[in-house]
Amino acid sequence: MTIFDLEPVARQSTAELIADRLRVAIMRGNLTAGSQLGEADLAAKFQVSRGPVREAMQRLVSEGLLNSVRHRGIFVIELTIDDIEDVYHSRAAIERGALERVLEGRRDVTAAALSSAVEAMRDAADRGDIPAVSDADQQFHETLVQSSGSARLVRAARTLLIETRMCLGALQSTYADIHEQVTEHDQLREAIADGPPERAFKLLADHMDDAVTRLREQQAAEASAEAGPEAGPEAGPEAGPEAGG
């Protein structure tokens, strides 16, 4: 074999490394929704030229994590409740596809892999560490998709899971006891291990639907609180007939 027969070793470019760090910062809320990103500032922080930063930002624009506004700049996306509902419905389709493959012959290894995420979630819940619960929640669903053995499902789920992680803290605040969420994931893990397939599919679908319902109710409550007394009866007749539409 000559040297020309060898495949080059894959290495991440500077732009890829920067894109990875930006994804994590967005996911964890270090770069808050709606915040503007500047090439010069990021280049200084990463100690690189502006070229790789520009390329990294364009990657995240194409992935939907950043939004480019003409003549204004590039901003971290802000998720509306409709966006969140769309994310969860898309995730439900992808994760159901992953679950189908898992149930075809990958049950034991998947259940074992999911156990570590459930235990991490339980430990975090015992400590009252909400960010760590969010991390373990994401780990659970990443593991489920990865266990399907489908690179395409993994790619399709990546941005959706990052978008989900952006609002997991808000979701978990809707639980009276965060251990309820641990129980939901553990029940799904048990169903994947040796339960009827129909139960696993139902638990996954219910989990996604419940998340959307909780987030919708939370947003409605926050909107009502922000409106305050002005949204009540004293708002006058103009708030009447059209308000219920």
Side-chain angles (χ1 to χ4, degrees), residues 33-148:
S35 61
Q36 184 172 9
L37 303 187
E39 281 183 17
D41 289 342
L42 289 175
K45 289 178 181 177
F46 288 120
Q47 298 182 356
V48 298
S49 65
R50 294 173 64 165
V53 170
R54 184 180 306 115
E55 182 180 342
M57 291 168 68
Q58 288 305 318
R59 285 171 185 247
L60 298 194
V61 168
S62 66
E63 292 174 12
L65 294 176
L66 296 179
N67 183 31
S68 179
V69 181
R70 188 174 178 83
H71 300 312
R72 289 189 58 205
I74 294 181
F75 301 81
V76 178
I77 60 166
E78 297 182 87
L79 296 174
T80 66
I81 191 61
D82 289 337
D83 292 327
I84 292 170
E85 184 171 356
D86 188 38
V87 166
Y88 273 95
H89 285 173
S90 300
R91 275 187 56 198
I94 291 169
E95 292 188 35
R96 181 184 173 89
L99 185 56
E100 288 174 355
R101 291 175 64 101
V102 164
L103 295 176
E104 288 171 359
R106 304 167 186 262
R107 284 186 165 216
D108 291 344
V109 66
T110 301
L114 293 174
S115 292
S116 63
V118 172
E119 288 309 309
M121 191 181 298
R122 181 175 289 112
D123 290 344
D126 289 345
R127 300 193 308 271
D129 188 343
I130 300 301
V133 173
S134 297
D135 289 341
D137 186 327
Q138 183 177 15
Q139 178 191 345
F140 182 98
H141 291 279
E142 285 179 346
T143 300
L144 173 60
V145 178
Q146 289 167 355
S147 296
S148 70

Side-chain angles (χ1 to χ4, degrees), residues 173-194:
S173 69
T174 67
Y175 286 87
D177 182 353
I178 196 63
H179 288 86
E180 293 177 37
Q181 193 176 17
V182 180
T183 300
E184 288 179 12
H185 287 80
D186 200 26
Q187 289 175 341
L188 178 54
R189 182 198 61 79
E190 290 175 353
I192 289 171
D194 54 17

Side-chain angles (χ1 to χ4, degrees), residues 193-234:
D194 54 17
E198 295 77 14
R199 174 168 170 75
F201 287 129
K202 184 177 188 304
L203 285 172
L204 179 63
D206 288 349
H207 179 61
M208 298 294 181
D209 290 343
D210 179 65
V212 172
T213 298
R214 286 175 178 273
L215 289 167
R216 277 195 173 278
E217 289 175 349
Q218 183 193 50
Q219 187 184 63
E222 290 175 352
S224 177
E226 288 177 3
E230 294 180 2
E234 296 179 3

